[in-house]
Amino acid sequence: MPSERYRWETLEALKGTNKGQLSYSRDWLLRGGDILEGCRSSPKLSSYSGWVLDRVISQSVEETPLSRSSTPNESIPPTDDQPPSLAKTISLASQLGSSPLSSAAPSEAKGNEDLSLLETNHEVNLTVLPSKITEVEGCIWMYEKVHSLKGKEGLRQRQEQQEQMVRAVSDMASEQLKRFDELKELKQHQEYQDLQEVMEKSSKEAQGQQEKLKEEHRHRAKILNLKLREAEQQRQRQEELERLRKEEGQERLRRLYSIQEEVLQLNQQIDPNYRHKDLPRIDLSGFSNRGNQICGLVSGLIRTTTERGFPTQVDVTNTERALQEMRGLISNMQQEIATAVEEKRKRDEEEERERQKELEKQEQLKAQTPVPAQHPKGKEQKEVLGLQVKAEESTMQWYQQLQDASEQCVASFSGLSDCKDNQVKNIRMDLQKAASIPVSQISTIAGSQLREIFDKITNLLSGKSVQCGGRTVSVTQHPQGLDFVYYKLAEKFVKQGEEEVASHHEAAFPIAVVASGIWELHPRVGDLILAHMHKKCPYSVPFYPAFKEGTPMEEYQRTLGYQVKDSKVEQQDNFLKRMSGIIRLYAAIIQLRWPYGNKQWPHPHGLGHGWRWLAQILNMEPLSDVTATLLFDFLEVCGNALMKQYQVQFWKMLLLIREDYFHRIEAITISGQMGSLMRLKQFLEKCLQQKEIPLPKGSLPSSFWRS
């Protein structure tokens, strides 16, 4: 039928609209879509709906002529089963008489005009629609209505199912949560009980362990208390023993000092001139020599014992034996003197009787024949001179003059040294640095460096300004500045010999050549150098200070050249090392001259003083360990120069040392001090065998001054 065909065409046309293209899916709710979204939107007609209706109406008119109303203003009201929109649309389409065939693509503006006309014109003449159209539209409307109801019913059922499902899931979740809470509470209760049991068990174990530890602690405390008590008793015993040992040691030391003092006093009873005034023919040099040896042995023994600690009873016994020997020596000397005096008295009486007899004979002869009297021939009195203990009188006067000059120099700058003003203190510090630092920089690196140091010192002593530590220094900054620099410069030269030369023997020559050059230009510095040398090393005079009654032993040790700190005398090795450094510096000074000085001037303290020192020390009694060390150091440094200057006389001096003086040194040297003696012996034998004394190690060659 044609109506069936139109129906399907209409459905096909509606299928192209928005509602016809709606799609339905079961998972819209899961994706958040709205099921009634297509039903809620307002209905719209396609732009081709007018064309479809024209064709339908035109075909229906041809088949069945429509009856129109008698008046144009008469209209057919819509029925209940016919939608008003459809009647209006049909009436509008019939009035316009337009067809999509006349316009290939009807615009959307024309559709809007048709709708506006449809809304404003309420008195449109409606044509009586055929039953097929009404049926189609009704079908569409019913289809939409049924579809909407089905959608709503499905939505409602689905919501109910969802709600039931949610309630079921919620109930099941709440039940599971209750079971979970019950299970959790049960587990917590069980764990709490287990934990409580474990804690009770561990508490019991801990209490038991604590009781054991307490018992062990009490036991150990008892043992420790016993040990501490024993240790304390042992410590007290040791302290008591140590105290007793110290008291005994101090008592022994005091005993040794008293013995030494008595020995020295007894030794002073021996006439230093070795001859009795009434008995010129009696030689007491043997007693004096032995007395000096006993004094040396006692001093060495005391020094050795003080270095290792307190003396032992054996040391006291040895010193007492030496004291007894000294007393016996004095007693023997007195007996010998008394015997000699008695013999002299008897001899004088015999001579007197002989003289009386001779006089009587002469008188008898005179009475008979006058014969000229014959005078008895005088016997030659040949004195066998011994070695001296004291230095010569002239030497002691020279020594005292130098010490007086040094003390006067110190007094001359007392205002600078004792001032408390900060500015004066800074000046004093700068001057001391300017005098000391250049001397400490003297080395054997190059001659040019020595010349720079020499120029810096001479500029300072000449009153010129010099740089020291980034500051300008001059002796003119204070009226007593020059005397202060003189004293400190000489003190630094001797200190370098005492420290630097003692450690490095080669350093004696560069220090000595600078000191000799300064001595030539400033003789007062040279006198102060000698004064410092004599004070630190009296053997450089040479001078052996004698012990005076009432002098403290520490002060006497300082006089001998030892360093005493906190009532402790320095060790013998260190003492000999310092003395060796000073003698080596002195031996280098007397043979060296500043190469850029005036050659016409004599040496301010030349080799003649060295020869005098050597002769005087050989005329004095040797000292154990000291004399051998100083002789070796002096000859090693200055022997070559003395050999060239005095030639045969010098070789005679060496023979005298080897043949006579060496045995004197050997007689007073103990077994532990043979090192210096052997060095001297080997040196003498080597020089006498080779007839040559080598140049000292470290001497400055001529090429040194070109560097």
Side-chain angles (χ1 to χ4, degrees), residues 385-522:
L385 299 176
L387 297 181
Q388 301 174 358
V389 175
K390 291 184 178 181
E392 295 180 358
E393 189 66 25
S394 60
T395 302
M396 293 306 300
Q397 291 178 358
W398 174 60
Y399 164 78
Q400 194 59 44
Q401 290 175 0
L402 292 175
Q403 296 303 315
D404 294 341
S406 177
E407 292 176 0
Q408 291 175 4
C409 183
V410 173
S412 66
F413 61 81
S414 59
L416 176 61
S417 59
D418 300 335
C419 185
K420 303 299 181 181
D421 184 63
N422 291 331
Q423 185 177 2
V424 177
K425 286 182 179 180
N426 293 333
I427 293 174
R428 182 175 69 236
M429 187 63 66
D430 292 340
L431 289 174
Q432 185 171 353
K433 289 181 179 178
S436 302
I437 292 177
V439 179
S440 62
Q441 293 175 345
I442 296 175
S443 64
T444 57
I445 296 176
S448 58
Q449 184 197 25
L450 288 187
R451 190 166 186 178
E452 291 177 2
I453 294 173
F454 180 83
D455 293 341
K456 190 173 184 179
I457 296 175
T458 53
N459 290 336
L460 178 66
L461 297 177
S462 302
K464 298 179 181 179
S465 297
V466 296
Q467 294 293 325
C468 180
R471 301 180 63 176
T472 302
V473 184
S474 175
V475 295
T476 58
Q477 292 176 338
H478 195 275
Q480 301 173 358
L482 184 59
D483 292 336
F484 180 78
V485 172
Y486 278 159
Y487 187 85
K488 291 298 178 181
L489 184 63
E491 184 182 42
K492 185 62 178 178
F493 273 119
V494 178
K495 190 174 182 181
Q496 285 295 100
E498 188 180 15
E499 296 176 356
E500 183 66 22
V501 178
S503 301
H504 306 90
H505 294 168
E506 299 84 358
F509 296 95
I511 297 173
V513 73
V514 175
S516 178
I518 299 296
W519 197 335
E520 287 184 11
L521 299 178
H522 304 275

Side-chain angles (χ1 to χ4, degrees), residues 617-633:
I617 204 166
L618 294 178
N619 285 329
M620 299 177 69
E621 278 292 336
L623 295 179
S624 176
D625 206 16
V626 176
T627 304
T629 301
L630 300 184
L631 275 177
F632 171 74
D633 292 327

